Structures are given as structure tokens and as C-alpha cells.
Amino acid sequence: MSPKTDDRDGAGAERFVFTASTGRCGEASLTEVLRRHAPLVYPGFEEPQVRPMLPSILGTAERHFRRRWVETDALLGRGETLRAAARGDTAFLERIAARRLQMARARMRRSGARVYFDISKFFVRGLHLGFARLLPRFDIVLLVRDPVVNMRSYLNRHKAFAKDSLLPSDRSNLLCMTDSDLAPGELYLWAWFETYLRYLALCEDARVSRSATLRTEHLSDPARVEAFLTALDLPHEPVGRVPPQNTNVTAGHGPTHVSDDDRRLFERFLSRVPAHVVDRIGYLDGYVPAGAGASQAGAAA
């Protein structure tokens, strides 16, 4: 787990923990683990969520209205926030982070929590630049899934990649690549690498008090989860097994089955990544892509 820790936190002081996450890697399961076992922690799952109050078609209309005007894409980390990160507009990102912190503190007050655990793929895609200007210290967690399985889970979802992420060719990226000839699956593999690299960069930030890694498959292992919570110095009750929260399955997209084509695509993409980048990513030490027919229908947000 290799946690980074220091002793700067005062007793009873508010704490913020952020995730470096690709999405489709156990965010919903981690949220449920914290809800069940860490009563002083408020887990914010891709906040601000839109929770319509109106029924049926009216609820759909309300959702669109609120995402545009109330719990906006910019607050979530999409849209203008992604564009601001690309152009280095830290003033805009600071305003977004200030509003997000206001919302987080309100949720902590209402729930009696002392720790806000932000669980979202958007933090390292631009929001981190705003939060880092406002918080004297915070913690960072890498939530990481097998890259081939993560890619296949996203492809099953049939989402528009550019809605939630910058393209690999953007100059603000740590792994900047030409994307015109990348297959759809390679875009998600690139996002996996970029997320990992941004986590490593944040670990070097003096404002980061603690850092730790949690693999998706370990979310179903109470001993590993307990060790993870202990490494972050998060108060918690004895950890029991939490059933996987697979939102692909609940949304009707089915389980994640990896094919030989998926493995070959990973190998093709890996050949395009500079060797010095691959060497920095500990997850890839001894890594063998999941084989044909392998299924991972477990924890994946």
C-alpha cells in the first residue's frame, strides 16, 4: 500500500480525502464501504449529484435543468472545468473548488462527519488545481482497477469519452499523445495511465499529508480494506464484506467479459507508451492482461 503519512493533523480538525480514479473502478463500492464502516466520514460519490424530486418524465426534465443550472457540469468537473484545466485557468478552478468546499462542509455539518472523502474521477482531471489553492493539506487515494478490465467496462457503457475527459493530445496532460489514430478502447487505456501519473505527481505535493493505493479487487477483502483505512488514519468500525456495487449490471449493461481482442489492444497501446512512463507505474510490475473469457463483474462504479 505504501502510504505516505505525516502528523500535521490536529485533533478534531476537518480533513479532506480525494481519489485519483478513472471511474468504472469501484467508486460506488468504496462509497458503500465508508458508509457502513466509517461513521465519522462523509463519502461524496461524484458530487454534486442530481436527485430529482419529480416523478417520471418530469423528473428527467428536472434532472436536465438542475445539471445545467444548479448541480452544474462545471461543479461536477465536466464542461468548462475541463476546459479551464486545459488552458491553466486556476482562478476559475479555484472558484469551483470554493463552491465545492462550501457544499462539502455543509454535508459534514449535517451528518456529524469530520472527514470528507471525495470519490470521483473528476478530481485529477482539473479540480485538483483549484482545491490545491484553497486547502493547506489533504490526502490522496489511488483507486485502481486492472486496465484492460477497466477499458472493457467503459466500452460496455457506450459513453462519449470527451464528455468526461480531455483528449490525450491536450498539452496539459502528463502523457501527451496523438489521439487521431487511437481506437476507442485506447482512449480509456490512456486515461488509466494519465490518472496513475497524476496520482504520482500529487504524492509529491507538499500539501498532501497521506497517500495510499487501493485496488478494485481488494474492495471485497475486509482485511485489505481495514489496512487501507488504517493507513489513512480514518476512524472505522470492524470491516465486514460489502457486496460489489456494479452499476454497469444494475444499469442493464451486463458483466465485464474481457476478450483476446481487448488484450491485443492493450499490448498495442502499451507499445506506444514511453518505457520510462511504464517503469514508473508499479501496478504494471509483473502485470499480465486478463485473458479471453475472463469476467470481472465485481465492484465497479
Side-chain angles (χ1 to χ4, degrees), residues 257-292:
H257 295 285
V258 171
S259 69
D260 282 335
D261 286 342
D262 293 331
R263 176 159 53 177
R264 284 190 287 268
L265 188 64
F266 173 80
E267 291 169 348
R268 186 181 89 170
F269 180 80
L270 189 65
S271 70
R272 305 179 64 169
V273 180
H276 72 273
V277 171
V278 176
D279 289 344
R280 294 191 64 203
I281 297 180
Y283 190 101
L284 297 179
D285 292 344
Y287 171 71
V288 177

PDB file of all heavy atoms in Angstrom, residues 257-292:
ATOM      1  N   HIS A 257     -16.758  -8.862 -19.570  1.00  0.00           N
ATOM      2  CA  HIS A 257     -16.023 -10.021 -20.076  1.00  0.00           C
ATOM      3  C   HIS A 257     -14.915  -9.532 -20.997  1.00  0.00           C
ATOM      4  O   HIS A 257     -15.174  -8.859 -21.993  1.00  0.00           O
ATOM      5  CB  HIS A 257     -16.951 -10.971 -20.833  1.00  0.00           C
ATOM      6  CG  HIS A 257     -17.997 -11.602 -19.977  1.00  0.00           C
ATOM      7  ND1 HIS A 257     -17.717 -12.625 -19.091  1.00  0.00           N
ATOM      8  CD2 HIS A 257     -19.329 -11.353 -19.862  1.00  0.00           C
ATOM      9  CE1 HIS A 257     -18.842 -12.986 -18.465  1.00  0.00           C
ATOM     10  NE2 HIS A 257     -19.826 -12.226 -18.919  1.00  0.00           N
ATOM     11  N   VAL A 258     -13.682  -9.880 -20.670  1.00  0.00           N
ATOM     12  CA  VAL A 258     -12.526  -9.470 -21.455  1.00  0.00           C
ATOM     13  C   VAL A 258     -12.280 -10.472 -22.580  1.00  0.00           C
ATOM     14  O   VAL A 258     -12.365 -11.679 -22.371  1.00  0.00           O
ATOM     15  CB  VAL A 258     -11.277  -9.374 -20.548  1.00  0.00           C
ATOM     16  CG1 VAL A 258     -10.012  -9.154 -21.367  1.00  0.00           C
ATOM     17  CG2 VAL A 258     -11.464  -8.240 -19.546  1.00  0.00           C
ATOM     18  N   SER A 259     -11.974  -9.969 -23.776  1.00  0.00           N
ATOM     19  CA  SER A 259     -11.721 -10.815 -24.938  1.00  0.00           C
ATOM     20  C   SER A 259     -10.241 -10.785 -25.319  1.00  0.00           C
ATOM     21  O   SER A 259      -9.473  -9.945 -24.847  1.00  0.00           O
ATOM     22  CB  SER A 259     -12.556 -10.344 -26.123  1.00  0.00           C
ATOM     23  OG  SER A 259     -12.068  -9.089 -26.583  1.00  0.00           O
ATOM     24  N   ASP A 260      -9.845 -11.681 -26.218  1.00  0.00           N
ATOM     25  CA  ASP A 260      -8.488 -11.664 -26.750  1.00  0.00           C
ATOM     26  C   ASP A 260      -8.213 -10.360 -27.491  1.00  0.00           C
ATOM     27  O   ASP A 260      -7.091  -9.846 -27.464  1.00  0.00           O
ATOM     28  CB  ASP A 260      -8.263 -12.846 -27.691  1.00  0.00           C
ATOM     29  CG  ASP A 260      -8.016 -14.148 -26.926  1.00  0.00           C
ATOM     30  OD1 ASP A 260      -7.562 -14.083 -25.766  1.00  0.00           O
ATOM     31  OD2 ASP A 260      -8.284 -15.225 -27.491  1.00  0.00           O
ATOM     32  N   ASP A 261      -9.224  -9.830 -28.165  1.00  0.00           N
ATOM     33  CA  ASP A 261      -9.052  -8.556 -28.862  1.00  0.00           C
ATOM     34  C   ASP A 261      -8.728  -7.440 -27.871  1.00  0.00           C
ATOM     35  O   ASP A 261      -7.920  -6.553 -28.170  1.00  0.00           O
ATOM     36  CB  ASP A 261     -10.309  -8.201 -29.649  1.00  0.00           C
ATOM     37  CG  ASP A 261     -10.469  -9.042 -30.908  1.00  0.00           C
ATOM     38  OD1 ASP A 261      -9.457  -9.646 -31.351  1.00  0.00           O
ATOM     39  OD2 ASP A 261     -11.590  -9.108 -31.439  1.00  0.00           O
ATOM     40  N   ASP A 262      -9.363  -7.470 -26.699  1.00  0.00           N
ATOM     41  CA  ASP A 262      -9.073  -6.465 -25.666  1.00  0.00           C
ATOM     42  C   ASP A 262      -7.617  -6.560 -25.230  1.00  0.00           C
ATOM     43  O   ASP A 262      -6.934  -5.541 -25.069  1.00  0.00           O
ATOM     44  CB  ASP A 262      -9.984  -6.666 -24.451  1.00  0.00           C
ATOM     45  CG  ASP A 262     -11.440  -6.386 -24.749  1.00  0.00           C
ATOM     46  OD1 ASP A 262     -11.716  -5.561 -25.636  1.00  0.00           O
ATOM     47  OD2 ASP A 262     -12.299  -6.998 -24.087  1.00  0.00           O
ATOM     48  N   ARG A 263      -7.131  -7.780 -25.047  1.00  0.00           N
ATOM     49  CA  ARG A 263      -5.750  -7.959 -24.620  1.00  0.00           C
ATOM     50  C   ARG A 263      -4.779  -7.474 -25.699  1.00  0.00           C
ATOM     51  O   ARG A 263      -3.788  -6.811 -25.400  1.00  0.00           O
ATOM     52  CB  ARG A 263      -5.481  -9.420 -24.268  1.00  0.00           C
ATOM     53  CG  ARG A 263      -4.014  -9.661 -23.920  1.00  0.00           C
ATOM     54  CD  ARG A 263      -3.780 -10.894 -23.106  1.00  0.00           C
ATOM     55  NE  ARG A 263      -4.353 -12.090 -23.685  1.00  0.00           N
ATOM     56  CZ  ARG A 263      -4.193 -13.299 -23.138  1.00  0.00           C
ATOM     57  NH1 ARG A 263      -3.495 -13.428 -22.022  1.00  0.00           N
ATOM     58  NH2 ARG A 263      -4.729 -14.363 -23.688  1.00  0.00           N
ATOM     59  N   ARG A 264      -5.065  -7.798 -26.948  1.00  0.00           N
ATOM     60  CA  ARG A 264      -4.190  -7.353 -28.033  1.00  0.00           C
ATOM     61  C   ARG A 264      -4.179  -5.829 -28.150  1.00  0.00           C
ATOM     62  O   ARG A 264      -3.145  -5.219 -28.439  1.00  0.00           O
ATOM     63  CB  ARG A 264      -4.625  -7.995 -29.356  1.00  0.00           C
ATOM     64  CG  ARG A 264      -4.211  -9.457 -29.482  1.00  0.00           C
ATOM     65  CD  ARG A 264      -4.439  -9.971 -30.887  1.00  0.00           C
ATOM     66  NE  ARG A 264      -5.856 -10.155 -31.165  1.00  0.00           N
ATOM     67  CZ  ARG A 264      -6.507 -11.306 -30.978  1.00  0.00           C
ATOM     68  NH1 ARG A 264      -5.869 -12.366 -30.488  1.00  0.00           N
ATOM     69  NH2 ARG A 264      -7.790 -11.410 -31.257  1.00  0.00           N
ATOM     70  N   LEU A 265      -5.337  -5.222 -27.898  1.00  0.00           N
ATOM     71  CA  LEU A 265      -5.393  -3.765 -27.958  1.00  0.00           C
ATOM     72  C   LEU A 265      -4.531  -3.147 -26.863  1.00  0.00           C
ATOM     73  O   LEU A 265      -3.838  -2.146 -27.091  1.00  0.00           O
ATOM     74  CB  LEU A 265      -6.840  -3.287 -27.814  1.00  0.00           C
ATOM     75  CG  LEU A 265      -7.076  -1.789 -28.043  1.00  0.00           C
ATOM     76  CD1 LEU A 265      -6.735  -1.403 -29.480  1.00  0.00           C
ATOM     77  CD2 LEU A 265      -8.530  -1.421 -27.729  1.00  0.00           C
ATOM     78  N   PHE A 266      -4.556  -3.739 -25.676  1.00  0.00           N
ATOM     79  CA  PHE A 266      -3.697  -3.254 -24.602  1.00  0.00           C
ATOM     80  C   PHE A 266      -2.229  -3.357 -24.999  1.00  0.00           C
ATOM     81  O   PHE A 266      -1.441  -2.413 -24.788  1.00  0.00           O
ATOM     82  CB  PHE A 266      -3.941  -4.039 -23.312  1.00  0.00           C
ATOM     83  CG  PHE A 266      -2.973  -3.698 -22.216  1.00  0.00           C
ATOM     84  CD1 PHE A 266      -3.137  -2.561 -21.446  1.00  0.00           C
ATOM     85  CD2 PHE A 266      -1.868  -4.510 -21.978  1.00  0.00           C
ATOM     86  CE1 PHE A 266      -2.223  -2.231 -20.449  1.00  0.00           C
ATOM     87  CE2 PHE A 266      -0.953  -4.192 -20.977  1.00  0.00           C
ATOM     88  CZ  PHE A 266      -1.135  -3.045 -20.218  1.00  0.00           C
ATOM     89  N   GLU A 267      -1.845  -4.478 -25.548  1.00  0.00           N
ATOM     90  CA  GLU A 267      -0.446  -4.666 -25.929  1.00  0.00           C
ATOM     91  C   GLU A 267      -0.037  -3.667 -27.008  1.00  0.00           C
ATOM     92  O   GLU A 267       1.086  -3.149 -26.998  1.00  0.00           O
ATOM     93  CB  GLU A 267      -0.230  -6.110 -26.382  1.00  0.00           C
ATOM     94  CG  GLU A 267      -0.344  -7.103 -25.223  1.00  0.00           C
ATOM     95  CD  GLU A 267      -0.403  -8.553 -25.672  1.00  0.00           C
ATOM     96  OE1 GLU A 267      -0.582  -8.785 -26.904  1.00  0.00           O
ATOM     97  OE2 GLU A 267      -0.303  -9.439 -24.803  1.00  0.00           O
ATOM     98  N   ARG A 268      -0.952  -3.367 -27.932  1.00  0.00           N
ATOM     99  CA  ARG A 268      -0.649  -2.373 -28.964  1.00  0.00           C
ATOM    100  C   ARG A 268      -0.472  -0.997 -28.338  1.00  0.00           C
ATOM    101  O   ARG A 268       0.462  -0.264 -28.666  1.00  0.00           O
ATOM    102  CB  ARG A 268      -1.765  -2.328 -30.011  1.00  0.00           C
ATOM    103  CG  ARG A 268      -1.443  -1.417 -31.200  1.00  0.00           C
ATOM    104  CD  ARG A 268      -2.556  -1.387 -32.193  1.00  0.00           C
ATOM    105  NE  ARG A 268      -3.524  -0.333 -31.892  1.00  0.00           N
ATOM    106  CZ  ARG A 268      -4.502   0.038 -32.726  1.00  0.00           C
ATOM    107  NH1 ARG A 268      -4.672  -0.589 -33.881  1.00  0.00           N
ATOM    108  NH2 ARG A 268      -5.325   1.010 -32.398  1.00  0.00           N
ATOM    109  N   PHE A 269      -1.367  -0.662 -27.423  1.00  0.00           N
ATOM    110  CA  PHE A 269      -1.264   0.646 -26.777  1.00  0.00           C
ATOM    111  C   PHE A 269       0.003   0.741 -25.943  1.00  0.00           C
ATOM    112  O   PHE A 269       0.703   1.758 -25.971  1.00  0.00           O
ATOM    113  CB  PHE A 269      -2.492   0.908 -25.896  1.00  0.00           C
ATOM    114  CG  PHE A 269      -2.442   2.240 -25.200  1.00  0.00           C
ATOM    115  CD1 PHE A 269      -2.792   3.395 -25.876  1.00  0.00           C
ATOM    116  CD2 PHE A 269      -2.012   2.346 -23.883  1.00  0.00           C
ATOM    117  CE1 PHE A 269      -2.726   4.641 -25.247  1.00  0.00           C
ATOM    118  CE2 PHE A 269      -1.937   3.574 -23.257  1.00  0.00           C
ATOM    119  CZ  PHE A 269      -2.302   4.725 -23.952  1.00  0.00           C
ATOM    120  N   LEU A 270       0.311  -0.314 -25.199  1.00  0.00           N
ATOM    121  CA  LEU A 270       1.490  -0.298 -24.340  1.00  0.00           C
ATOM    122  C   LEU A 270       2.760  -0.045 -25.150  1.00  0.00           C
ATOM    123  O   LEU A 270       3.689   0.617 -24.678  1.00  0.00           O
ATOM    124  CB  LEU A 270       1.593  -1.617 -23.574  1.00  0.00           C
ATOM    125  CG  LEU A 270       2.648  -1.682 -22.470  1.00  0.00           C
ATOM    126  CD1 LEU A 270       2.313  -0.702 -21.347  1.00  0.00           C
ATOM    127  CD2 LEU A 270       2.752  -3.099 -21.914  1.00  0.00           C
ATOM    128  N   SER A 271       2.801  -0.549 -26.380  1.00  0.00           N
ATOM    129  CA  SER A 271       3.982  -0.349 -27.216  1.00  0.00           C
ATOM    130  C   SER A 271       4.177   1.114 -27.593  1.00  0.00           C
ATOM    131  O   SER A 271       5.271   1.511 -28.008  1.00  0.00           O
ATOM    132  CB  SER A 271       3.876  -1.205 -28.487  1.00  0.00           C
ATOM    133  OG  SER A 271       2.873  -0.701 -29.361  1.00  0.00           O
ATOM    134  N   ARG A 272       3.129   1.920 -27.441  1.00  0.00           N
ATOM    135  CA  ARG A 272       3.209   3.337 -27.780  1.00  0.00           C
ATOM    136  C   ARG A 272       3.564   4.214 -26.579  1.00  0.00           C
ATOM    137  O   ARG A 272       3.817   5.401 -26.740  1.00  0.00           O
ATOM    138  CB  ARG A 272       1.866   3.802 -28.365  1.00  0.00           C
ATOM    139  CG  ARG A 272       1.397   2.991 -29.549  1.00  0.00           C
ATOM    140  CD  ARG A 272       0.066   3.459 -30.078  1.00  0.00           C
ATOM    141  NE  ARG A 272       0.141   4.813 -30.606  1.00  0.00           N
ATOM    142  CZ  ARG A 272      -0.822   5.389 -31.314  1.00  0.00           C
ATOM    143  NH1 ARG A 272      -1.939   4.712 -31.571  1.00  0.00           N
ATOM    144  NH2 ARG A 272      -0.696   6.616 -31.762  1.00  0.00           N
ATOM    145  N   VAL A 273       3.545   3.633 -25.393  1.00  0.00           N
ATOM    146  CA  VAL A 273       3.839   4.398 -24.179  1.00  0.00           C
ATOM    147  C   VAL A 273       5.348   4.380 -23.946  1.00  0.00           C
ATOM    148  O   VAL A 273       5.965   3.308 -23.961  1.00  0.00           O
ATOM    149  CB  VAL A 273       3.108   3.798 -22.964  1.00  0.00           C
ATOM    150  CG1 VAL A 273       3.424   4.599 -21.703  1.00  0.00           C
ATOM    151  CG2 VAL A 273       1.603   3.769 -23.209  1.00  0.00           C
ATOM    152  N   PRO A 274       5.966   5.533 -23.717  1.00  0.00           N
ATOM    153  CA  PRO A 274       7.418   5.550 -23.464  1.00  0.00           C
ATOM    154  C   PRO A 274       7.808   4.627 -22.318  1.00  0.00           C
ATOM    155  O   PRO A 274       7.101   4.527 -21.307  1.00  0.00           O
ATOM    156  CB  PRO A 274       7.683   7.022 -23.123  1.00  0.00           C
ATOM    157  CG  PRO A 274       6.578   7.779 -23.791  1.00  0.00           C
ATOM    158  CD  PRO A 274       5.379   6.878 -23.713  1.00  0.00           C
ATOM    159  N   ALA A 275       8.944   3.968 -22.470  1.00  0.00           N
ATOM    160  CA  ALA A 275       9.392   2.991 -21.470  1.00  0.00           C
ATOM    161  C   ALA A 275       9.564   3.623 -20.102  1.00  0.00           C
ATOM    162  O   ALA A 275       9.253   2.994 -19.075  1.00  0.00           O
ATOM    163  CB  ALA A 275      10.695   2.344 -21.929  1.00  0.00           C
ATOM    164  N   HIS A 276      10.020   4.872 -20.031  1.00  0.00           N
ATOM    165  CA  HIS A 276      10.237   5.499 -18.726  1.00  0.00           C
ATOM    166  C   HIS A 276       8.917   5.749 -18.006  1.00  0.00           C
ATOM    167  O   HIS A 276       8.876   5.798 -16.777  1.00  0.00           O
ATOM    168  CB  HIS A 276      11.030   6.808 -18.875  1.00  0.00           C
ATOM    169  CG  HIS A 276      10.251   7.934 -19.476  1.00  0.00           C
ATOM    170  ND1 HIS A 276      10.154   8.133 -20.847  1.00  0.00           N
ATOM    171  CD2 HIS A 276       9.516   8.930 -18.901  1.00  0.00           C
ATOM    172  CE1 HIS A 276       9.401   9.201 -21.087  1.00  0.00           C
ATOM    173  NE2 HIS A 276       9.007   9.691 -19.929  1.00  0.00           N
ATOM    174  N   VAL A 277       7.820   5.895 -18.772  1.00  0.00           N
ATOM    175  CA  VAL A 277       6.497   6.045 -18.160  1.00  0.00           C
ATOM    176  C   VAL A 277       6.033   4.705 -17.602  1.00  0.00           C
ATOM    177  O   VAL A 277       5.562   4.614 -16.459  1.00  0.00           O
ATOM    178  CB  VAL A 277       5.486   6.599 -19.179  1.00  0.00           C
ATOM    179  CG1 VAL A 277       4.067   6.547 -18.606  1.00  0.00           C
ATOM    180  CG2 VAL A 277       5.848   8.029 -19.574  1.00  0.00           C
ATOM    181  N   VAL A 278       6.173   3.656 -18.395  1.00  0.00           N
ATOM    182  CA  VAL A 278       5.772   2.320 -17.945  1.00  0.00           C
ATOM    183  C   VAL A 278       6.529   1.941 -16.677  1.00  0.00           C
ATOM    184  O   VAL A 278       5.954   1.387 -15.726  1.00  0.00           O
ATOM    185  CB  VAL A 278       6.032   1.279 -19.053  1.00  0.00           C
ATOM    186  CG1 VAL A 278       5.710  -0.128 -18.551  1.00  0.00           C
ATOM    187  CG2 VAL A 278       5.195   1.600 -20.291  1.00  0.00           C
ATOM    188  N   ASP A 279       7.809   2.277 -16.627  1.00  0.00           N
ATOM    189  CA  ASP A 279       8.635   1.924 -15.468  1.00  0.00           C
ATOM    190  C   ASP A 279       8.170   2.604 -14.189  1.00  0.00           C
ATOM    191  O   ASP A 279       8.434   2.100 -13.088  1.00  0.00           O
ATOM    192  CB  ASP A 279      10.100   2.302 -15.737  1.00  0.00           C
ATOM    193  CG  ASP A 279      10.756   1.413 -16.774  1.00  0.00           C
ATOM    194  OD1 ASP A 279      10.198   0.337 -17.060  1.00  0.00           O
ATOM    195  OD2 ASP A 279      11.800   1.810 -17.319  1.00  0.00           O
ATOM    196  N   ARG A 280       7.480   3.737 -14.294  1.00  0.00           N
ATOM    197  CA  ARG A 280       7.032   4.467 -13.107  1.00  0.00           C
ATOM    198  C   ARG A 280       5.775   3.865 -12.490  1.00  0.00           C
ATOM    199  O   ARG A 280       5.437   4.181 -11.349  1.00  0.00           O
ATOM    200  CB  ARG A 280       6.740   5.937 -13.464  1.00  0.00           C
ATOM    201  CG  ARG A 280       7.958   6.750 -13.874  1.00  0.00           C
ATOM    202  CD  ARG A 280       7.583   8.214 -13.939  1.00  0.00           C
ATOM    203  NE  ARG A 280       7.203   8.707 -12.616  1.00  0.00           N
ATOM    204  CZ  ARG A 280       6.423   9.767 -12.412  1.00  0.00           C
ATOM    205  NH1 ARG A 280       5.920  10.437 -13.436  1.00  0.00           N
ATOM    206  NH2 ARG A 280       6.122  10.151 -11.182  1.00  0.00           N
ATOM    207  N   ILE A 281       5.076   3.022 -13.224  1.00  0.00           N
ATOM    208  CA  ILE A 281       3.756   2.559 -12.802  1.00  0.00           C
ATOM    209  C   ILE A 281       3.870   1.187 -12.152  1.00  0.00           C
ATOM    210  O   ILE A 281       3.977   0.152 -12.817  1.00  0.00           O
ATOM    211  CB  ILE A 281       2.790   2.556 -14.000  1.00  0.00           C
ATOM    212  CG1 ILE A 281       2.629   3.992 -14.506  1.00  0.00           C
ATOM    213  CG2 ILE A 281       1.451   1.946 -13.617  1.00  0.00           C
ATOM    214  CD1 ILE A 281       1.724   4.163 -15.679  1.00  0.00           C
ATOM    215  N   GLY A 282       3.857   1.201 -10.832  1.00  0.00           N
ATOM    216  CA  GLY A 282       4.066  -0.025 -10.076  1.00  0.00           C
ATOM    217  C   GLY A 282       3.052  -1.105 -10.372  1.00  0.00           C
ATOM    218  O   GLY A 282       3.365  -2.299 -10.277  1.00  0.00           O
ATOM    219  N   TYR A 283       1.824  -0.724 -10.714  1.00  0.00           N
ATOM    220  CA  TYR A 283       0.778  -1.714 -10.986  1.00  0.00           C
ATOM    221  C   TYR A 283       1.195  -2.665 -12.098  1.00  0.00           C
ATOM    222  O   TYR A 283       0.782  -3.833 -12.121  1.00  0.00           O
ATOM    223  CB  TYR A 283      -0.519  -1.006 -11.377  1.00  0.00           C
ATOM    224  CG  TYR A 283      -1.742  -1.902 -11.448  1.00  0.00           C
ATOM    225  CD1 TYR A 283      -2.667  -1.932 -10.405  1.00  0.00           C
ATOM    226  CD2 TYR A 283      -1.980  -2.723 -12.549  1.00  0.00           C
ATOM    227  CE1 TYR A 283      -3.783  -2.759 -10.461  1.00  0.00           C
ATOM    228  CE2 TYR A 283      -3.083  -3.552 -12.606  1.00  0.00           C
ATOM    229  CZ  TYR A 283      -3.985  -3.565 -11.565  1.00  0.00           C
ATOM    230  OH  TYR A 283      -5.088  -4.387 -11.619  1.00  0.00           O
ATOM    231  N   LEU A 284       2.018  -2.185 -13.025  1.00  0.00           N
ATOM    232  CA  LEU A 284       2.388  -2.978 -14.191  1.00  0.00           C
ATOM    233  C   LEU A 284       3.547  -3.936 -13.930  1.00  0.00           C
ATOM    234  O   LEU A 284       3.902  -4.721 -14.810  1.00  0.00           O
ATOM    235  CB  LEU A 284       2.734  -2.055 -15.359  1.00  0.00           C
ATOM    236  CG  LEU A 284       1.587  -1.173 -15.854  1.00  0.00           C
ATOM    237  CD1 LEU A 284       2.058  -0.277 -16.989  1.00  0.00           C
ATOM    238  CD2 LEU A 284       0.383  -2.006 -16.289  1.00  0.00           C
ATOM    239  N   ASP A 285       4.134  -3.894 -12.738  1.00  0.00           N
ATOM    240  CA  ASP A 285       5.206  -4.830 -12.402  1.00  0.00           C
ATOM    241  C   ASP A 285       4.649  -6.253 -12.390  1.00  0.00           C
ATOM    242  O   ASP A 285       3.804  -6.604 -11.558  1.00  0.00           O
ATOM    243  CB  ASP A 285       5.807  -4.502 -11.029  1.00  0.00           C
ATOM    244  CG  ASP A 285       6.558  -3.183 -11.017  1.00  0.00           C
ATOM    245  OD1 ASP A 285       6.871  -2.680 -12.117  1.00  0.00           O
ATOM    246  OD2 ASP A 285       6.816  -2.662  -9.910  1.00  0.00           O
ATOM    247  N   GLY A 286       5.080  -7.066 -13.328  1.00  0.00           N
ATOM    248  CA  GLY A 286       4.595  -8.436 -13.414  1.00  0.00           C
ATOM    249  C   GLY A 286       3.176  -8.563 -13.926  1.00  0.00           C
ATOM    250  O   GLY A 286       2.587  -9.647 -13.863  1.00  0.00           O
ATOM    251  N   TYR A 287       2.614  -7.480 -14.455  1.00  0.00           N
ATOM    252  CA  TYR A 287       1.218  -7.496 -14.897  1.00  0.00           C
ATOM    253  C   TYR A 287       1.044  -8.307 -16.171  1.00  0.00           C
ATOM    254  O   TYR A 287       1.814  -8.178 -17.129  1.00  0.00           O
ATOM    255  CB  TYR A 287       0.739  -6.062 -15.127  1.00  0.00           C
ATOM    256  CG  TYR A 287      -0.622  -5.969 -15.792  1.00  0.00           C
ATOM    257  CD1 TYR A 287      -1.777  -6.323 -15.102  1.00  0.00           C
ATOM    258  CD2 TYR A 287      -0.749  -5.528 -17.108  1.00  0.00           C
ATOM    259  CE1 TYR A 287      -3.021  -6.243 -15.694  1.00  0.00           C
ATOM    260  CE2 TYR A 287      -1.987  -5.438 -17.709  1.00  0.00           C
ATOM    261  CZ  TYR A 287      -3.126  -5.795 -17.008  1.00  0.00           C
ATOM    262  OH  TYR A 287      -4.356  -5.716 -17.609  1.00  0.00           O
ATOM    263  N   VAL A 288       0.014  -9.141 -16.191  1.00  0.00           N
ATOM    264  CA  VAL A 288      -0.393  -9.879 -17.377  1.00  0.00           C
ATOM    265  C   VAL A 288      -1.842  -9.519 -17.649  1.00  0.00           C
ATOM    266  O   VAL A 288      -2.697  -9.686 -16.760  1.00  0.00           O
ATOM    267  CB  VAL A 288      -0.253 -11.400 -17.183  1.00  0.00           C
ATOM    268  CG1 VAL A 288      -0.752 -12.148 -18.413  1.00  0.00           C
ATOM    269  CG2 VAL A 288       1.192 -11.768 -16.887  1.00  0.00           C
ATOM    270  N   PRO A 289      -2.171  -9.000 -18.839  1.00  0.00           N
ATOM    271  CA  PRO A 289      -3.560  -8.631 -19.125  1.00  0.00           C
ATOM    272  C   PRO A 289      -4.514  -9.809 -18.935  1.00  0.00           C
ATOM    273  O   PRO A 289      -4.148 -10.962 -19.181  1.00  0.00           O
ATOM    274  CB  PRO A 289      -3.524  -8.190 -20.587  1.00  0.00           C
ATOM    275  CG  PRO A 289      -2.112  -7.797 -20.826  1.00  0.00           C
ATOM    276  CD  PRO A 289      -1.285  -8.723 -19.969  1.00  0.00           C
ATOM    277  N   ALA A 290      -5.698  -9.514 -18.477  1.00  0.00           N
ATOM    278  CA  ALA A 290      -6.727 -10.543 -18.308  1.00  0.00           C
ATOM    279  C   ALA A 290      -6.926 -11.268 -19.626  1.00  0.00           C
ATOM    280  O   ALA A 290      -6.925 -10.665 -20.695  1.00  0.00           O
ATOM    281  CB  ALA A 290      -8.034  -9.906 -17.836  1.00  0.00           C
ATOM    282  N   GLY A 291      -7.094 -12.598 -19.574  1.00  0.00           N
ATOM    283  CA  GLY A 291      -7.190 -13.403 -20.792  1.00  0.00           C
ATOM    284  C   GLY A 291      -8.604 -13.509 -21.323  1.00  0.00           C
ATOM    285  O   GLY A 291      -9.570 -13.001 -20.752  1.00  0.00           O
ATOM    286  N   ALA A 292      -8.712 -14.174 -22.442  1.00  0.00           N
ATOM    287  CA  ALA A 292     -10.011 -14.345 -23.099  1.00  0.00           C
ATOM    288  C   ALA A 292     -10.978 -15.049 -22.167  1.00  0.00           C
ATOM    289  O   ALA A 292     -10.642 -16.013 -21.497  1.00  0.00           O
ATOM    290  CB  ALA A 292      -9.836 -15.161 -24.371  1.00  0.00           C
TER     291      ALA A 292
END
